[in-house]
Amino acid sequence: MKFSNPDIAVHKPIPAPLDTEYPVTAWGVDQCGESFKQLTIYRPQVGLHDVKFELKFCGICHSDVHNVLNEMSEKWGSTYPIVPGHELVGTVVEVGEKVSRVKVGDNVGVGCIRDSCLICEVCHRGEECYCVNGFTHTYNTPKKKENCHIGGNPEVQNWGGYSEFDVVHEHFIIKIPEGMPLEKAGPILCAGITMWSPLNHWGATNTEKKLNIGIVGIGGLGTMGIKLAAALGHRVVAISSSDKKIDVAKSKGAEDYVVSKDADSVRKERGKLDLIINTVSAPHDIAPYISMLKTDGTLVQLGCIAAPMQYNQFMLILKRISIAGSLIGGIPATQEVVDFCFKNEIYPDIELVEAGQLNKIYTELQDNNSAAVRYVLDIKKSLETTK
Ligand code: NAP
Ligand code: ZN
């Protein structure tokens, strides 16, 4: 695994547990530059509004890679130890007295949002990820001083889903429909909603009109984007940095395929696309994508890339092109995409892995995710092999 910016990494060792906390097995990276290992973290007891669940699976997102390898920002570093994972799925084992949305035995999930203020206008309209007071990401974040719905030691950073149990306020729980394959549910909670949100915002979920939609980067997010956009009835053009993923992209529903580094290939789609959703995870040139947009087209940037990008403004001016960003999605929309995927049997293509393989998988994701799958950590198997 190749780490970045070791000089700005923050080290905050795990303190002794409070009386109200209990130990939980987790997998993470103890110090910037080290390999994954088993750690003991402490989770809070269940509060009035909390749901405790036993994790079965947790998807491995490229954002986990950025966070663990300290790539998220050039200004402030990740906090170590770090336990990543924001595609959590498991079964409820305990609920607080005031919990009404789920009960013991239900299958549930948690995506990228562990907390938000729940009182601002944006939270009220169900877009918690854009909370005006700042949402709390599932891991690698401090607990807020105000409007916090997270128990445990307020001084300790949040831990993600590569772990045995978690406890979350019921507002942030996603219900997994009975019958949905649990191992495939997790990636819908990040990869699925992150693709669904721009499709929804830019008019692709509620139209009779067949749009031309480009999906850039055939990895965990991109493959979900192809499946969702195709299921919504649009022409999907997969856009990749090489010709190696043609078969895989077409098998997921792409009608056409562009190699972004091949000018002739790009030219075939020049001026033809209404919307392009870009999931590329490393610095790259966006000019080829802009050239493929129609007048009034939009390029939506999703990749968590800290380095600034450059483009020629004439490319925007001459066709009234917009460049936008989009962040995951709120809790109601996450439930909506889970239910849509269940109804239409749209699932990510996954490969189950165990904790001992994490270092190798992170290297594979840094190297372009050549298998174009979502790796999913099998928590139960990992516990069996490490205990
Ligand atoms: P992934 O599975 O690793 O896929 C990323 C894809 O990007 C690769 O499969 C590859 O596709 C392409 N790529 C990688 N390096 C490239 C390069 N140097 N030049 C051109 N293309 C390159 O990652 P993921 O889990 O889908 O996540 C993708 C990005 O979205 C990450 O940056 C992640 O942090 C971010 N993300 C953002 C949000 C949000 O809310 N905005 C949510 C989740 C994730 P090809 O081989 O097809 O080129
Ligand atoms: Zn993610």
Side-chain angles (χ1 to χ4, degrees), residues 14 22-28 37-43 52-55 83-84 159-166 355 377-387:
I14 307 173
Y22 52 90
V24 167
T25 298
W27 296 275
K37 68 176 189 188
Q38 189 174 317
L39 299 169
T40 300
I41 57 168
Y42 301 99
R43 299 275 195 201
K52 176 176 175 181
F53 59 101
E54 183 176 22
L55 272 117
V83 173
W159 312 115
Y162 298 6
S163 62
E164 205 180 357
F165 292 98
D166 203 350
L377 185 62
D378 186 328
I379 306 284
K380 295 277 137 207
K381 278 246 172 73
S382 300
L383 285 168
E384 278 163 27
T385 45
T386 52
K387 269 194 171 163

Side-chain angles (χ1 to χ4, degrees), residues 61-64 86-87 112 137 190-191 194 221 328 374:
C61 179
H62 204 113
S63 300
D64 299 348
H86 58 204
E87 295 184 347
C112 306
H137 182 239
C190 173
T194 303
L221 264 59
I328 39 173
R374 194 57 146 189

Side-chain angles (χ1 to χ4, degrees), residues 62-63 66 218 220-221 240-241 245 279 326 328 368-369 374:
H62 204 113
S63 300
H66 293 315
I218 313 307
L221 264 59
S240 182
S241 54
K245 293 179 177 170
T279 76
S326 180
I328 39 173
N368 252 24
N369 189 356
R374 194 57 146 189

Side-chain angles (χ1 to χ4, degrees), residues 150-172:
I150 306 170
N153 188 337
E155 300 307 322
V156 176
Q157 61 268 37
N158 290 307
W159 312 115
Y162 298 6
S163 62
E164 205 180 357
F165 292 98
D166 203 350
V167 182
V168 175
H169 185 287
E170 69 166 329
H171 182 90
F172 302 96

Side-chain angles (χ1 to χ4, degrees), residues 3-5 8 61-80 82 86 112 135 137 139-141 281 302-307 327:
F3 284 75
S4 299
N5 316 312
I8 56 163
C61 179
H62 204 113
S63 300
D64 299 348
V65 178
H66 293 315
N67 276 287
V68 168
L69 302 184
N70 205 20
E71 299 170 346
M72 275 309 244
S73 165
E74 291 171 329
K75 290 196 185 129
W76 59 89
S78 291
T79 302
Y80 299 85
I82 182 169
H86 58 204
C112 306
F135 87 103
H137 182 239
Y139 64 87
N140 199 32
T141 45
S281 55
L302 297 181
C304 298
I305 302 166
L327 177 66

Side-chain angles (χ1 to χ4, degrees), residues 94-106:
E94 192 182 341
V95 294
E97 272 172 46
K98 297 219 161 144
V99 168
S100 57
R101 292 187 56 231
V102 292
K103 58 181 189 318
V104 170
D106 287 354

